[in-house]
């Protein structure tokens, strides 16, 4: 009996290849959906496709390669320090326009990322950070005069804005790290007026300093003159005729003992002191 071999069907071979390719593609897809990489400086929120979406109390995924169900998704959040530099025009207490450039450094609260995502989403800087900066800055600046903003109370104003802004952002799951006023631009006529006032104050202080210096110098000279006068009075009272005679006798005795030729005439000087005549 002869056997009958059916010829290979090329179509069935292609089908098997298609199946293998499909399985490979599906495996790659499932692998890419199952393992998620969280970069350094980021955290991830798992979106449960067949659940309640983002779960507010679920801890976020930290950096590294993480395993999730392939039907879920991950929302990535940058948790590093970030910066925004808004420019704004605000009104002072006397209703003058003040232009401000500020720098604000912030970061989202990692433990509250679920709440942040549900309330504001990833676009939270434009929805809550920047509006809060503008609102609070306008509110605080409106209490001060322009010359106070740019000079004597600048540090106080910065601190006041920072404290209130920190409280506001923390209510919205964001940490404020620093607030800085980089530049203050006053109206030109006001700036010239303030500069002139400061110059006059400086000149007044310099004039007062010169007066104080002159007064101290006069006091010094007065004390010095009084001291000289007191010394002269003391010396004048201590010099008596008897003292002068005694000093004259002492001087005569010293000279008489020297090797120089001299003639001593006893009692021939004024006031009865010896008279000494030199050799030449």
């Amino acid at each position: 009996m002869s056997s009958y071999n059916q010829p290979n069907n090329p179509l069935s071979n292609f089908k098997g290849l298609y199946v293998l390719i499909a399985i490979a593609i599906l495996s790659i897809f499932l692998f890419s959906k199952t393992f998620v990489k969280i970069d350094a400086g980021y955290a991830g929120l798992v979106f449960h496709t067949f659940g309640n979406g983002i779960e507010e109390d679920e801890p976020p995924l930290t950096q590294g390669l993480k395993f999730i169900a392939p039907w879920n998704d991950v929302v990535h959040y940058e948790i590093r320090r970030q910066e925004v530099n808004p420019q704004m025009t605000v009104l002072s207490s006397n209703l003058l326009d003040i232009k401000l450039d500020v720098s604000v450094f912030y970061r989202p609260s990692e433990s509250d990322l679920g709440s942040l995502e549900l309330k504001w989403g990833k676009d939270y800087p434009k929805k809550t950070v920047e509006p809060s900066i503008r609102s609070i800055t306008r509110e605080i600046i409106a209490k001060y005069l322009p010359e106070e903003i740019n000079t004597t109370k600048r540090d106080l104003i910065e601190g006041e804005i920072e404290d209130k802004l920190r409280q506001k952002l923390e209510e919205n799951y964001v940490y404020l790290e620093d607030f800085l006023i980089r530049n203050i631009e006053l109206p030109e006529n006001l700036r010239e007026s303030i500069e002139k006032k400061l110059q006059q104050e400086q000149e007044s202080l310099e004039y007062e300093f010169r007066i104080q210096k002159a007064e101290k110098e006069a006091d010094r000279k007065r004390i010095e003159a009084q001291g000289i006068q007191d010394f002269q009075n003391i010396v004048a009272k201590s010099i008596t005729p008897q003292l002068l005679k005694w000093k004259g006798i002492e001087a005569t005795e010293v000279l008489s003992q020297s090797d120089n030729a001299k003639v001593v005439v006893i009692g021939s000087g004024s006031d009865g002191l010896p008279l000494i005549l030199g050799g030449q």
Side-chain angles (χ1 to χ4, degrees):
M1 177 181 289
S2 61
S3 61
Y4 175 75
N5 294 325
Q6 291 183 350
N8 291 331
N9 188 347
L11 184 59
S12 63
N13 291 337
F14 278 116
K15 287 182 178 179
L17 180 61
Y18 290 153
V19 170
L20 290 176
I21 292 174
I23 292 174
I25 293 174
L26 180 62
S27 298
I28 293 172
F29 174 76
L30 291 176
F31 181 84
S32 65
K33 295 290 290 183
T34 301
F35 292 96
V36 177
K37 179 185 176 185
I38 307 296
D39 293 330
Y42 285 79
L45 295 174
V46 178
F47 183 88
H48 299 273
T49 304
F50 299 110
N52 297 322
I54 299 292
E55 295 184 3
E56 189 172 358
D57 297 330
E58 182 178 1
L61 302 176
T62 57
Q63 65 181 14
L65 193 63
K66 305 298 178 181
F67 174 84
I68 64 170
W71 51 84
N72 290 337
D73 202 356
V74 173
V75 180
H76 295 260
Y77 264 86
E78 185 176 6
I79 57 174
R80 291 175 295 200
R81 171 173 167 148
Q82 300 171 59
E83 179 182 1
V84 61
N85 301 297
Q87 298 177 339
M88 64 191 85
T89 300
V90 298
L91 293 177
S92 63
S93 62
N94 55 356
L95 303 181
L96 289 177
D97 287 341
I98 310 296
K99 294 182 179 179
L100 293 179
D101 295 338
V102 303
S103 291
V104 179
F105 300 91
Y106 67 93
R107 60 181 175 83
S109 171
E110 186 175 355
S111 60
D112 296 314
L113 282 183
S115 301
L116 182 63
E117 169 65 18
L118 292 175
K119 186 172 183 179
W120 299 109
K122 291 188 66 175
D123 202 24
Y124 71 93
K126 293 187 179 298
K127 292 180 178 179
T128 183
V129 176
E130 293 186 20
S132 297
I133 294 170
R134 296 181 184 277
S135 174
I136 292 174
T137 301
R138 288 191 174 96
E139 177 186 344
I140 301 301
I141 293 295
K143 300 190 299 183
Y144 295 93
L145 293 170
E147 54 267 32
E148 294 175 329
I149 298 169
N150 201 32
T151 54
T152 58
K153 295 186 178 180
R154 177 167 178 164
D155 292 340
L156 175 64
I157 292 170
E158 273 189 344
E160 195 172 344
I161 295 174
E162 183 174 349
D163 291 342
K164 194 158 188 178
L165 182 59
R166 176 175 287 107
Q167 180 181 355
K168 180 66 174 179
L169 292 183
E170 286 182 358
E171 293 173 358
N172 292 286
Y173 318 110
V174 178
Y175 286 137
L176 175 67
E177 294 197 345
D178 204 0
F179 174 87
L180 300 172
I181 298 177
R182 294 186 292 110
N183 184 51
I184 300 174
E185 185 176 339
L186 303 177
E188 185 175 356
N189 57 343
L190 177 61
R191 185 170 62 250
E192 293 175 354
S193 176
I194 292 174
E195 290 175 354
K196 184 177 180 179
K197 179 181 177 182
L198 292 175
Q199 182 179 359
Q200 291 174 345
E201 290 177 352
Q202 184 64 32
E203 291 174 352
S204 177
L205 290 174
E206 185 178 353
Y207 180 72
E208 290 178 3
F209 173 76
R210 290 200 300 267
I211 291 177
Q212 292 176 359
K213 183 177 180 182
E215 289 176 348
K216 289 181 179 179
E217 180 65 16
D219 289 340
R220 185 190 68 79
K221 291 182 178 180
R222 190 180 302 110
I223 293 171
E224 182 180 0
Q226 185 64 46
I228 294 173
Q229 183 180 357
D230 293 342
F231 173 76
Q232 290 175 342
N233 291 335
I234 294 171
V235 172
K237 292 178 181 178
S238 62
I239 298 177
T240 62
Q242 291 80 6
L243 178 63
L244 293 174
K245 287 182 179 181
W246 175 251
K247 291 297 182 182
I249 293 171
E250 285 182 340
T252 302
E253 182 180 358
V254 172
L255 287 172
S256 65
Q257 293 175 359
S258 66
D259 296 333
N260 296 327
K262 81 283 294 180
V263 177
V264 180
V265 181
I266 303 301
S268 297
S270 61
D271 294 332
L273 291 173
L275 180 64
I276 300 174
L277 301 176
Q280 298 298 326

